[in-house]
């Protein structure tokens, strides 16, 4: 395990100082707003007058407060800068490498924690499986890309959630961590709902567990609730996110239905937006199947993994960073299930890692870097396919979605037989 961590960490630390994604530039602006307005942050977290706020892009802050606190702390300690300007009709955004690396270091540490938690969770079943799982996560190209190349924080929310799974025996702390993970990033809402379902199934201690989850989620908001409660009025609109729309660029859409609908709209002018607008219908079909399975299986790690798989299979806008928790959860599912579910889950986890290799990923090593390391740029180019056309990415996302549906249905449909038998018993008892 030490060798895996050292290898994965070395790769990340080599790549991180020389690359930066666009979100890191926006994070610098968010950090400045948090330092300036503190507890009233959310009153200024929309995109109105973004340029005067020191933001390079008109992207609102759509997350819980934990990341805002962390960004403000990093900016306070490290400083840094961004340089955004127009020249010859082109918009340039250059990011101070010290800022980019410092923020990514937080993400890399969280990534490392996720690998360790996966190992600890799976080790109870098998040491070999635990090593395989940690390796498949920590050396996966998509997890390396998200934390060390582009720089996004889904692994941070995931780390808190997995720590909660590991501390299952300490029930209140465990559920508080599930809630806290939502205050980092709310994309883990389906696993959190599954944990609430688990609490209801264990009815004797349901209320304390649910209260712990709610308190864990509310704790990061406490300074704002006490010092500037009026700012929280803006929160529902911010967290609601953007309106459903075509997912551009197509190469960054990981949902097969959304990608295909967007491509058909672009290529043939077809009105396919309804396919995205009703994304919640398949979610409302598939998530109850996971809930039914959990009634009989009661394996919280596997069931929360399936719940997140439903999210990524159905949500209309699945970005590349959402694949980081997906890979981790698929590894958990593979470890705690068996047969075809294990095979499909492991294959899908590997498949998810193909996307950064398809991409011209070296783009992030020079687009926001004023003095690029061109040797590293050429090296990354040599390792990637550098596909620019949309069609291969549509095929990739369709393949990913089909695989996720296969995982979900193969893991849940067999339990419908258990439900049928249970219902038959109840009917027999009533008779």
């Amino acid at each position: 395990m030490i060798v895996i961590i050292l290898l994965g960490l070395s790769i990340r630390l080599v790549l991180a100082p020389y690359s930066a994604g666009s979100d890191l530039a926006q994070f610098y602006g968010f950090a400045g707003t948090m330092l300036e307005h503190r507890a009233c942050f959310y009153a200024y977290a929309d995109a109105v007058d973004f340029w005067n706020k020191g933001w390079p892009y008109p992207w609102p802050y759509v997350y819980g407060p934990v990341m805002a606190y962390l960004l403000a702390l990093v900016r306070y300690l490290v400083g840094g800068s961004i340089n955004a300007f127009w020249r010859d009709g082109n918009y340039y955004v250059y990011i101070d490498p010290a800022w980019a690396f410092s923020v990514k270091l937080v993400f890399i540490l969280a990534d490392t924690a996720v690998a360790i938690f996966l190992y600890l969770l799976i080790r109870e079943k098998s040491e070999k499986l635990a090593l395989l799982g940690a390796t498949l996560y920590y050396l996966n190209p998509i997890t390396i890309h998200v934390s060390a190349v582009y720089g996004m924080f889904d692994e941070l929310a995931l780390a808190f959630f997995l720590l909660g799974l590991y501390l299952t025996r300490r029930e209140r702390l465990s559920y508080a961590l599930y809630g806290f993970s939502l205050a980092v990033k709310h994309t883990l809402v389906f696993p959190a709902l599954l944990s609430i379902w688990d609490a209801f199934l264990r009815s004797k201690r349901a209320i304390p567990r649910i209260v712990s989850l709610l308190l864990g989620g509310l704790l990061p908001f406490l300074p704002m609730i006490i010092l500037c409660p009026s700012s929280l009025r803006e929160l529902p609109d911010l967290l609601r996110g953007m309106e459903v729309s075509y997912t551009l660029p197509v190469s960054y859409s990981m949902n097969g239905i959304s990608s295909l609908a967007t491509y058909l709209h672009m290529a043939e002018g077809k009105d396919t937006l309804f396919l995205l607008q009703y994304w919640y219908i398949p979610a409302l079909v598939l998530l109850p199947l996971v809930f039914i399975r959990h009634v009989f299986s009661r394996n919280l790690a596997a069931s929360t993994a399936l719940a997140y798989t439903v999210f990524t299979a159905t949500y209309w806008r699945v970005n590349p960073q959402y694949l980081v928790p997906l890979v981790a959860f698929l590894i958990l599912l593979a470890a705690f299930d068996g047969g075809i579910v294990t095979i499909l889950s492991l294959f899908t986890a590997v498949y998810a890692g193909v996307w950064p290799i398809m991409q011209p990923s070296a783009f992030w090593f020079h687009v926001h870097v004023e003095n690029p390391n061109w040797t590293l740029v050429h090296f990354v180019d040599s390792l990637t396919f550098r596909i620019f056309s949309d069609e291969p990415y549509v095929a990739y996302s369709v393949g990913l979605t089909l695989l996720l549906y296969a995982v979900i249905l193969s893991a849940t449909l067999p339990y419908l037989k258990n439900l049928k038998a249970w219902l038959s018993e109840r009917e027999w008892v009533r008779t």
Side-chain angles (χ1 to χ4, degrees), residues 198-315:
D198 180 74
F200 278 117
L201 291 178
R202 304 174 190 274
S203 55
K204 291 182 179 179
R205 294 184 293 275
I207 299 303
R209 289 180 174 194
I210 295 170
V211 169
S212 295
L213 186 147
L214 294 175
L215 289 176
L218 286 173
L219 181 63
F221 292 94
L222 195 58
M224 298 172 176
I225 293 171
I226 295 172
L227 299 174
C228 194
S230 61
S231 71
L232 297 179
R233 293 175 194 160
E234 309 296 327
L235 191 57
D237 287 336
L238 290 169
L239 294 185
R240 195 175 295 126
M242 65 187 74
E243 293 182 0
V244 176
S245 60
Y246 292 112
T247 51
L248 296 171
V250 171
S251 60
Y252 275 70
S253 172
M254 304 291 107
N255 180 284
I257 295 173
S258 299
S259 297
L260 187 58
T262 301
Y263 179 76
L264 290 174
H265 175 71
M266 292 170 56
E268 301 182 21
K270 295 183 181 294
D271 181 8
T272 54
L273 193 60
F274 69 95
L275 293 172
L276 285 69
Q277 289 173 327
Y278 297 103
W279 68 270
Y280 55 85
I281 293 178
L284 291 175
V285 172
L286 295 177
L287 195 58
L289 292 179
V290 179
F291 278 43
I292 291 170
R293 170 195 158 105
H294 191 66
V295 171
F296 300 101
S297 71
R298 300 295 178 93
N299 187 309
L300 189 56
S303 295
T304 51
L306 275 170
Y308 189 81
T309 305
V310 170
F311 172 74
T312 48
T314 58
Y315 187 55

Side-chain angles (χ1 to χ4, degrees), residues 419-431:
L419 177 63
K420 184 179 179 181
W422 184 85
L423 291 173
S424 297
E425 271 186 29
R426 304 285 82 73
E427 182 65 29
W428 179 80
V429 170
R430 286 196 296 272
T431 304

